[in-house]
Amino acid sequence: MKQALVSSGPKVEIVDSPIPTPGDDAVLIKVVVSGSNPKDWKYPHFTNSTYNSGDDMAGTIAAVGANVWDFKVGDRVAAFHVMKAEHGSFAEYGVAPASSTFRIPSKTSYEEAATIPLAAMTAAAGLYSNLGLPAPWEPAQSPIPLIIYGASSAVGAFAGFVETLIDRSKGDAIVDYREGPETLVKGIKDAVAAAGLAEVKFAFDTICEHDSYIHISKGMAPTGHITVVLPGKKGYSDIPQGMTTSLTWVGLVHHGPYSIKGSMGINHQSTTNGKDFGFVYFRLFGQGLADGWFSGHPYEVLPGGLASVETGLDNLRNGRNSAKKYVFRIAETEGAGKTGFSL
């Protein structure tokens, strides 16, 4: 099979590899469409490593492990691959744990499905595990003000999709952070006041650049809680005392309770059983797609299959992409399906 190996740069090499065999608790997926994320270039770059860094895949089940009971060959699925592990999504076949795989209805395209796993699960982890907001099946009985910083990013979009999903009649508002920190803080305070609220206690920073979480904190209650997707350079010591800061790590869905120590000055622990959390929410994504209340992120198909991975990741690194996910149709890769390897 063909697969793309990503190294620092980003540089991408397309190679021939054997089709992998899934472990006992995993599934083998014939990848129809692979999604992409900024971490796909960041991890190889910052760790100076070369590997198939794709983690979002949509396709059909080609084989199941010995312990897999909820999927069968031929099922249409999307999945979140274990980050930094072998057999990622930039390939004709990929492997994912059954617990982070979910069925997709026939009305959902593989392109749309490939935008969902990592970004949507990051949003779910931040909102429902870290911030402890009410689960979707138990809606809040009164308003809970929430700041989502970077709402046009994929994670931000799944947490609350900008103008298309907000309801200004309920106090929802958009503040343009590009106008500078002072304008951002004033915009937050003005939006809170306009909604008739005393303060906002929860924030989800989906970008974590240019001291964004520090600026957010200035518009929040002194005992508020900010969850972030990247650790701060100073380990959050620059956040006002009395505030809570947590790290949202999507990799939790492949683990039980975990501890991160010494990463850029931050020590973080979670008592959440991430595997169980992921199992529940990935299944909910599938149900939401079928019922129509959930959808994927806007996307752009880059032509040429795996041949466009380097272009896509380079665009992500250099900020040439906004509000759309890059996806790749694997069958468009030159030589796909003709390498001689078989199951």
Side-chain angles (χ1 to χ4, degrees):
M1 70 172 188
K2 298 292 185 182
Q3 74 166 326
L5 303 180
V6 182
S7 57
S8 180
K11 297 295 182 183
V12 175
E13 180 185 10
I14 299 174
V15 301
D16 290 327
S17 302
I19 295 174
T21 300
D24 288 349
D25 300 307
V27 295
L28 176 69
I29 297 173
K30 180 175 176 56
V31 185
V32 178
V33 178
S34 171
S36 60
N37 297 281
K39 57 144 283 299
D40 298 344
W41 72 263
K42 289 180 179 180
Y43 280 11
H45 177 73
F46 291 114
T47 61
N48 194 29
S49 55
T50 299
Y51 68 105
N52 178 345
S53 60
D55 291 321
D56 283 339
M57 62 181 80
T60 58
I61 298 288
V64 300
N67 297 334
V68 175
W69 53 270
D70 44 351
F71 297 101
K72 65 181 185 303
V73 173
D75 284 346
R76 299 177 83 249
V77 297
F80 177 36
H81 168 261
V82 178
M83 295 185 294
K84 299 184 182 179
E86 294 183 321
H87 314 313
S89 68
F90 295 152
E92 292 184 70
Y93 290 85
V95 172
S99 60
S100 58
T101 301
F102 60 100
R103 287 190 181 87
I104 56 175
S106 58
K107 66 180 179 180
T108 301
S109 70
Y110 291 117
E111 288 81 3
E112 178 184 358
T115 71
I116 293 173
L118 184 148
M121 184 53 67
T122 302
L127 295 175
Y128 307 121
S129 177
N130 286 44
L131 293 180
L133 298 178
W137 50 84
E138 291 183 339
Q141 299 303 304
S142 59
I144 300 178
L146 168 69
I147 297 170
I148 299 173
Y149 185 88
S152 66
S153 71
V155 172
F158 281 117
F161 195 67
V162 208
E163 193 70 58
T164 60
L165 290 186
I166 71 170
D167 185 344
R168 292 186 181 275
S169 70
K170 296 181 179 179
D172 295 347
I174 294 175
V175 178
D176 192 343
Y177 60 76
R178 295 173 296 182
E179 297 181 6
E182 293 183 0
T183 302
L184 170 66
V185 175
K186 182 178 184 301
I188 292 172
K189 292 181 176 179
D190 288 348
V192 172
L197 302 168
E199 57 189 7
V200 56
K201 293 185 177 181
F202 299 100
F204 192 169
D205 186 348
T206 71
I207 304 295
C208 300
E209 293 181 352
H210 310 298
D211 296 328
S212 53
Y213 59 89
I214 299 174
H215 306 316
I216 294 170
S217 71
K218 295 177 181 178
M220 296 179 62
T223 56
H225 183 168
I226 301 176
T227 191
V228 299
V229 295
L230 293 172
K233 294 180 180 179
K234 298 181 181 180
Y236 311 126
S237 62
D238 39 15
I239 289 289
Q241 289 188 353
M243 295 194 73
T244 299
T245 310
S246 62
L247 176 65
T248 292
W249 179 53
V250 69
L252 72 90
V253 301
H254 296 134
H255 299 272
Y258 66 90
S259 175
I260 298 175
K261 296 183 178 180
S263 176
M264 297 178 68
I266 183 67
N267 295 325
H268 178 70
Q269 291 184 326
S270 172
T271 58
T272 299
N273 187 312
K275 183 178 177 181
D276 290 349
F277 181 91
F279 180 91
V280 170
Y281 277 94
F282 278 125
R283 272 33 177 206
L284 185 63
F285 296 164
Q287 188 66 51
L289 290 169
D291 290 346
W293 55 261
F294 182 68
S295 62
H297 193 74
Y299 60 84
E300 179 181 347
V301 179
L302 296 189
L306 297 176
S308 290
V309 171
E310 183 172 314
T311 297
L313 299 189
D314 187 67
N315 286 349
L316 290 174
R317 180 176 184 179
N318 291 288
R320 303 189 191 101
N321 172 277
S322 178
K324 287 187 177 180
K325 293 268 284 184
Y326 288 137
V327 301
F328 314 96
R329 294 173 177 145
I330 305 303
E332 294 181 1
T333 307
E334 183 177 356
K338 302 177 182 179
T339 59
F341 292 106
S342 61
L343 291 172

